[in-house]
Amino acid sequence: MGMTYFKRYRMEFDLRDWRGDDPRLPEGYELLPYLPGLLREHAIAKFNSFKEELDANVFPCLSRRDGCLRLMREITSRGDFVPDATWLIRALETNPKTGAVQPYAVGTIQGLSTEGWGSIQNVGIDPAHRGKGLGSILLSKAATGFRAVGLERMHLEVTTENTGAVRLYERLGFKRSSVVYKAAEVAGANA
């Protein structure tokens, strides 16, 4: 194991310009506001979204189910947690044998209010469900939630190598405001 540094963009969005347009949820999905009883589902969505991604190196807790659950507990127990900016998306699959609909968590976003900013903690979409606009929906709901509690700006950080996420954020109107570096222990990095 050796220490390496990951380059990340801080990206900002001015909520005063927010129109409040909510993209349409595709058929076969449901969107749920934050409730404490959904904590484990948020953690499962987070784990499945990040376990094989670069951010699991940057934030090792994202590569473990227990780490994602611990992170969700930490986020939601903070005094600056914003439930209105925290959402879950479930896919609804019908069991072909029983006809019963079985929901499972495939997307999550969490928000904090820090120093007058809405702070997105994680936007995670299970890789099998990407490309359907689910990330845009979560960001839209978080923006609406931040506005509902009186915040006028929001920000997030994204690893620069995560080009798909950077493109999504820029397409939605986020602007790169600065570059930050995150130190992480990574196998194979020079010590």
Side-chain angles (χ1 to χ4, degrees), residues 72-155:
M72 280 303 302
R73 286 181 177 144
E74 288 173 7
I75 290 169
T76 59
S77 68
R78 290 179 54 157
D80 57 356
F81 174 61
V82 181
D84 290 358
T86 301
W87 292 82
L88 179 75
I89 294 179
R90 288 178 179 158
L92 305 173
E93 289 200 353
T94 303
N95 183 317
K97 293 181 181 179
T98 66
V101 174
Q102 298 174 312
Y104 63 98
V106 298
T108 181
I109 193 167
Q110 308 88 52
L112 300 174
S113 172
T114 54
E115 300 175 356
W117 286 79
S119 177
I120 299 293
Q121 294 305 289
N122 300 110
V123 182
I125 302 295
D126 184 308
H129 298 271
R130 292 180 186 159
K132 299 177 182 188
L134 302 178
S136 297
I137 291 167
L138 289 175
L139 286 159
S140 175
K141 296 303 281 185
T144 300
F146 287 139
R147 283 293 302 267
V149 298
L151 297 170
E152 295 183 343
R153 302 173 297 177
M154 70 178 178
H155 71 87

Side-chain angles (χ1 to χ4, degrees), residues 10-87:
R10 176 182 163 117
M11 300 185 76
E12 299 177 352
F13 187 90
D14 189 335
L15 290 168
R16 293 170 292 196
D17 298 333
W18 178 242
R19 296 181 315 271
D21 297 337
D22 282 334
R24 182 174 160 83
L25 191 65
E27 189 173 328
Y29 293 92
E30 66 180 354
L31 182 66
L32 298 123
Y34 174 75
L35 293 169
L38 298 175
L39 194 73
R40 287 188 182 279
E41 288 188 71
H42 278 276
I44 289 167
K46 188 184 299 283
F47 172 72
N48 288 332
S49 299
F50 291 106
K51 66 184 176 186
E52 295 177 10
E53 301 294 327
L54 176 63
D55 281 350
N57 288 323
V58 182
F59 303 99
C61 65
L62 296 175
S63 68
R64 299 184 327 273
R65 284 182 189 267
D66 64 325
C68 290
L69 182 57
R70 181 180 46 78
L71 181 57
M72 280 303 302
R73 286 181 177 144
E74 288 173 7
I75 290 169
T76 59
S77 68
R78 290 179 54 157
D80 57 356
F81 174 61
V82 181
D84 290 358
T86 301
W87 292 82

Side-chain angles (χ1 to χ4, degrees), residues 4-11 50 52-59 130 156-170 176 178-182 184 186 189:
T4 192
Y5 293 86
F6 291 93
K7 184 178 176 182
R8 295 172 58 79
Y9 295 128
R10 176 182 163 117
M11 300 185 76
F50 291 106
E52 295 177 10
E53 301 294 327
L54 176 63
D55 281 350
N57 288 323
V58 182
F59 303 99
R130 292 180 186 159
L156 53 78
E157 285 185 12
V158 58
T159 303
T160 60
E161 292 177 44
N162 189 347
T163 56
V166 171
R167 279 193 310 270
L168 168 66
Y169 303 144
E170 289 178 335
R176 297 178 197 181
S178 61
V179 174
V180 296
Y181 292 89
K182 168 73 173 133
V186 177

